[in-house]
Amino acid sequence: MTAKDMRRWDDDKLLNHMMTAVIVIDSRCHIHYANSAAEQLFSINRHKLSELSLMDHCQLPEALSERLAAAVENGVGLYFSAITIITQEGHPFSVDLTLSPLPDDTLAILELKQVDQQRRIDQQLNQEAQQQAAQFLVRNLAHEIKNPLGGLRGAAQLLERELSDPQLQEFTQMIIEQADRLRNLVDRLLGPQKPSLHAYNNIHWVTQKVLQLITVTLPSNITLLRDYDPSIPDSVMDAEQLQQALLNLIQNSIQAMGKQFGTITLRTRTQHQVTLGSQRHKLVMEIKVIDNGPGIPDALMDTLFYPMVSGKADGNGLGLSIAHNIVRLHGGRIDCQSEPGHTEFTLLLPLRSQGPQLAPSHFDSTLSVSETHDE
């Protein structure tokens, strides 16, 4: 194997499988190489990354930019901990930054390791454990509620047969109706416990179904936008359950914005080399629900996906919990970032090829990007 072949193998087989963003820069901070993690970090493909300098793709403290340029020029290594960078799309990231000069060259390797990514993984594992414990308690409670409800309903039916007075039968009907209402509430509280039917489908077929349902009752003060990546391949999924999850998230955004004018954007992308739970995936699909509403109170962020937790006076706290459970059953996760004027829920789902292959999807791959959905 030649040195050239070895370098190509290193670049394609090793660097592109790293979670750390790796780029090669010169003394002007012009980018000569970027791996897949760098593409993911900056949300720009490597060819466009190499057209400009590092500072054109993100915001860095001016003093740091000058030190990087001087260090490359002089062949000196640098290390900075927990540096905040802001991408062109306005997303802040906290990274550990390491600069290593290349021998006999005027280039240097710059590694950007996301600190918040590892924090997010740890937080997800902790939340998963807490939510599973909460769901275990809810299931036990539901079992204890449904048993006496069934007895209550049966007794009311038997009593109704013995009553000849229609006015008295109205009371037994009220008992039966309320018992059914409580049973339905308990069923909603439990949510789906396993995917009902997995088949090949395209995520955009799912999102379009959701938008069709939403637009029927969409308030006039809210505009729906779609920003799709039509290159996302078909994947094995439970389409109906994912429709429900996205429907719950969009309805949550609509309720949060109330009567104020705003937009809700449904965006799809792919991510490379993503850890979901304890499993590493080469490629996942990313679905974002973004609104410019008032944001979520900080006090609710840690328990946002728990059942019966809601920031609305008339909310039942089930929508987000059910959405989280559906995504979990698909081996994915939901992240939420929120501040006044910008809230985004991010669904990360593995692209799966295992499962029964049914009819192919009917999504039109020629759909243009960033279209306004017809209201």
Side-chain angles (χ1 to χ4, degrees):
M1 181 180 293
T2 66
K4 183 178 180 180
D5 291 335
M6 178 66 78
R7 182 175 181 180
R8 184 184 299 114
W9 192 88
D10 286 345
D11 288 349
D12 295 339
K13 301 297 183 181
L14 294 180
L15 295 179
N16 286 332
H17 285 75
M18 293 178 63
M19 294 180 62
T20 302
V22 177
I23 61 178
V24 176
I25 60 174
D26 59 23
S27 58
R28 296 173 300 159
C29 291
H30 188 94
I31 298 174
H32 291 254
Y33 169 83
N35 70 344
S36 296
E39 290 181 307
Q40 196 66 51
L41 178 65
F42 294 106
S43 299
I44 303 173
N45 67 57
R46 66 183 67 189
H47 300 295
K48 290 186 177 180
L49 275 173
S50 61
E51 292 175 357
L52 300 170
S53 72
L54 176 63
M55 274 63 76
D56 292 318
H57 296 298
C58 66
Q59 298 178 27
L60 289 174
E62 185 176 352
L64 176 59
S65 303
E66 295 174 353
R67 290 193 63 181
L68 286 175
V72 177
E73 182 72 27
N74 299 319
V76 178
L78 292 175
Y79 174 79
F80 296 94
S81 177
I83 295 293
T84 299
I85 64 173
I86 302 176
T87 65
Q88 281 184 335
E89 294 186 349
H91 298 309
F93 293 97
S94 180
V95 299
D96 289 343
L97 186 151
T98 304
L99 182 75
S100 304
L102 290 172
D104 303 324
D105 209 336
T106 57
L107 301 174
I109 296 176
L110 186 63
E111 301 174 59
L112 300 96
K113 184 176 182 180
Q114 284 187 247
V115 179
D116 44 4
Q117 184 181 57
Q118 185 60 49
R119 188 184 302 120
R120 190 182 302 119
I121 293 172
D122 294 339
Q123 183 181 24
Q124 180 203 359
L125 292 174
N126 183 47
Q127 288 181 346
E128 286 287 346
Q130 293 179 358
Q131 287 166 353
Q132 287 182 11
Q135 288 173 354
F136 177 76
L137 291 175
V138 168
R139 283 197 296 270
N140 286 341
L141 179 61
H143 179 74
E144 295 299 324
I145 292 175
K146 291 179 76 172
N147 281 344
L149 274 180
L152 182 66
R153 191 183 193 282
Q157 288 177 316
L158 292 174
L159 179 60
E160 185 177 34
R161 296 175 186 174
E162 301 296 327
L163 297 175
S164 57
D165 188 344
Q167 292 184 340
L168 294 178
Q169 289 180 348
E170 289 182 6
F171 292 109
T172 57
Q173 278 298 314
M174 289 176 58
I175 296 173
I176 293 172
E177 290 173 0
Q178 293 303 309
D180 289 342
R181 186 183 67 83
L182 288 174
R183 183 190 60 195
N184 291 336
L185 177 62
V186 170
D187 289 339
R188 289 182 60 201
L189 186 63
L190 289 173
Q193 298 305 305
K194 61 181 180 179
S196 57
L197 177 62
H198 270 190
Y200 272 103
N201 219 312
N202 191 287
I203 189 60
H204 298 118
W205 182 87
V206 175
T207 58
Q208 287 302 99
K209 286 289 186 181
V210 172
L211 292 180
Q212 289 172 5
L213 293 171
I214 287 291
T215 50
V216 175
T217 57
L218 185 69
S220 58
N221 59 297
I222 296 176
T223 301
L224 282 179
L225 302 176
R226 55 185 181 181
D227 181 2
Y228 292 169
D229 176 3
S231 67
I232 298 177
D234 289 5
S235 179
V236 174
M237 64 182 73
D238 186 322
E240 289 188 1
Q241 286 192 3
L242 287 181
Q243 283 182 44
Q244 185 63 57
L246 289 172
L247 192 65
N248 289 357
L249 292 176
I250 296 176
Q251 287 178 334
N252 183 76
S253 295
I254 292 173
Q255 294 170 3
M257 287 195 286
K259 296 183 178 181
Q260 76 174 67
F261 286 88
T263 60
I264 297 175
T265 302
L266 193 57
R267 177 181 299 166
T268 62
R269 295 290 188 270
T270 56
Q271 286 193 23
H272 299 270
Q273 303 300 329
V274 176
T275 300
L276 299 177
S278 59
Q279 190 170 354
R280 184 81 168 156
H281 297 273
K282 293 181 179 179
L283 187 67
V284 302
M285 71 175 81
E286 173 191 270
I287 309 109
K288 286 182 179 287
V289 177
I290 307 169
D291 70 66
N292 58 354
I296 299 171
D298 292 339
L300 290 179
M301 289 300 293
D302 289 341
T303 57
L304 192 60
F305 299 107
Y306 284 18
M308 310 305 289
V309 174
S310 176
K312 299 180 287 290
D314 57 346
N316 56 29
L318 296 179
L320 295 182
S321 174
I322 290 173
H324 176 273
N325 194 38
I326 290 172
V327 173
R328 181 184 63 82
L329 291 173
H330 281 76
R333 77 165 190 251
I334 298 184
D335 295 331
C336 179
Q337 295 180 343
S338 182
E339 60 186 29
H342 184 88
T343 297
E344 62 179 55
F345 287 90
T346 303
L347 280 67
L348 296 173
L349 299 168
L351 285 163
R352 299 187 183 278
S353 58
Q354 295 81 11
Q357 185 167 4
L358 302 182
S361 67
H362 301 288
F363 174 69
D364 182 5
S365 62
T366 63
L367 178 69
S368 61
V369 175
S370 298
E371 293 184 28
T372 301
H373 189 70
D374 296 331
E375 297 182 10

